Amino acid sequence: MPDFETLKATKDPSNPRIARLVLNRPERLNAINDATPRDIRKAVEWANDDDEVHVMVLEGAGKGFCGGYDLQYFGENEFDHPCQQEKSPWDPMVDYAYMKKNTEDFMALWRSPKPTIAKVHGYAAAGGSDIALCCDLLVMAEDARIGYMPTRVWGCPTTAMWTFRLGPTRAKQLMFTGDTIDGRTAAQWGLANSCVPVGQLEAETLKLANRIAGVPRSHLAMHKMVVNQVMLTAGLEQTQSLATLMDGITRHNPEGLWFRRYAQAEGFKAAVQWRDSGKPIPEGDEARELVRRMDQARGGN
């Protein structure tokens, strides 16, 4: 079996037609680092290259599916990363190139000719929801949570899947609030294909995967191509390009820079607590002034 830095890839022992991909950074809630998107793409390529495999199941080790991008790495640290550029003015195309590559790697799950199922327990948060929604199907535990909290500050979902999966009304609700929804709500809204108590999640996922695994690979690929074409015709790729540009802007405008400076000064947990609390986010000149004070406090210009 292949070896990856941030995930494990095996065949299900009960049915080798099912590939099991497991995000495997449980100590960090499977948070996304620089290697995660590449590992996902390579694991999908491995499963597609194996003629025995008909369907893939993607899940997370430990307490949840994926907690999003690792803010201890991306938000709290001070280094010149494409997404964090401390230089001024920042280069939006450097940020775009990095994040677009990540988006394309996540989209390997969507472009795969073999169906992909996200098995979600715990949190599929922020970038973790991007990964889950790039899968074709979604099976959730009743108490699992999915959402993109950084829409409140410092993020825009680069895969732009919320509108395509939920429609504009529900997508706007989640994007405007940064709220998460549980598995029951996700199923009611049509985001999740099914929702069960967490103790039944494995059995429910395998039931669906086994049913799909009995269909010829060529038929699965053709049906997926037809459905995906509808989304492409509706402008998925163009929307993702716009969303990825907007994502970079959210991290470098006054509000985004305030969030990063606050995380650097107080720790990412304090920054996330402010973001998710509902307390107003500093913006415009107020954010600029707070950034100036924090820069002075740390000996900056």
Side-chain angles (χ1 to χ4, degrees):
M1 294 299 171
D3 187 29
F4 302 101
E5 181 180 336
T6 65
L7 62 76
K8 296 185 294 184
T10 60
K11 292 184 183 180
D12 191 273
S14 67
N15 187 346
R17 288 184 170 215
I18 302 171
R20 306 296 297 257
L21 312 182
V22 183
L23 300 172
N24 193 36
R25 298 184 71 220
E27 73 286 354
R28 298 291 306 144
L29 299 178
N30 302 314
I32 301 163
N33 63 16
D34 287 328
T36 305
R38 263 45 96 203
D39 282 350
I40 290 173
R41 175 178 53 79
K42 291 174 183 176
V44 171
E45 290 173 350
W46 161 75
N48 275 300
D49 287 342
D50 191 320
D51 286 344
E52 190 174 35
V53 172
H54 283 58
V55 60
M56 295 168 233
V57 173
L58 177 65
E59 60 193 295
K63 295 181 179 179
F65 181 81
C66 176
Y69 278 87
D70 192 335
L71 291 187
Q72 189 170 27
Y73 175 69
F74 287 103
E76 189 175 288
N77 288 333
E78 297 184 33
F79 64 113
D80 195 27
H81 188 276
C83 295
Q84 188 166 324
Q85 301 176 43
E86 295 292 348
K87 299 174 183 177
S88 181
W90 68 286
D91 188 335
M93 297 315 294
V94 170
D95 190 298
Y96 175 82
Y98 177 87
M99 288 305 298
K100 193 65 167 69
K101 184 173 177 57
N102 284 4
T103 301
E104 293 300 315
D105 287 343
F106 295 155
M107 285 291 286
L109 293 157
W110 187 83
R111 293 194 176 95
S112 161
K114 298 177 182 180
T116 54
I117 302 170
K119 173 191 171 189
V120 177
H121 73 294
Y123 268 86
S129 69
D130 273 330
I131 295 171
L133 296 184
C134 282
C135 292
D136 301 308
L137 307 175
L138 188 62
V139 181
M140 292 184 67
E142 290 178 342
D143 60 352
R145 307 290 304 189
I146 188 168
Y148 208 100
M149 300 91 87
T151 59
R152 297 185 60 80
V153 68
W154 220 57
C156 176
T158 63
T159 64
M161 281 291 183
W162 290 99
T163 304
F164 290 91
R165 300 291 290 263
L166 280 177
T169 301
R170 297 293 195 191
K172 284 179 180 178
Q173 178 179 338
L174 293 180
M175 295 304 97
F176 293 165
T177 63
D179 288 343
T180 63
I181 57 175
D182 61 21
R184 297 181 188 88
T185 304
Q188 291 168 1
W189 287 9
L191 184 68
N193 296 85
S194 59
C195 164
V196 294
V198 67
Q200 300 173 25
L201 184 61
E202 171 70 4
E204 181 73 8
T205 304
L206 275 180
K207 177 182 176 182
L208 177 61
N210 277 307
R211 181 70 173 169
I212 293 170
V215 179
R217 294 190 312 275
S218 62
H219 286 56
L220 294 171
M222 287 187 285
H223 300 321
K224 181 167 178 175
M225 184 181 295
V226 170
V227 177
N228 281 7
Q229 187 60 48
V230 174
M231 297 171 69
L232 290 170
T233 303
L236 175 61
E237 290 182 336
Q238 295 88 339
T239 305
Q240 287 182 339
S241 293
L242 177 62
T244 304
L245 281 171
M246 295 298 184
D247 185 57
I249 293 171
T250 67
R251 281 181 272 102
H252 297 280
N253 65 6
E255 297 78 27
L257 186 55
W258 165 82
F259 182 81
R260 186 162 83 238
R261 288 291 183 265
Y262 191 81
Q264 290 166 344
E266 305 295 334
F268 78 96
K269 290 183 179 179
V272 168
Q273 183 178 23
W274 184 322
R275 180 196 70 190
D276 296 347
S277 68
K279 186 164 69 168
I281 304 293
E283 56 187 303
D285 287 342
E286 179 189 8
R288 292 185 183 96
E289 176 59 20
L290 290 171
V291 168
R292 185 188 67 79
R293 292 178 188 176
M294 286 185 281
D295 282 345
Q296 282 186 337
R298 66 178 192 158
N301 295 325

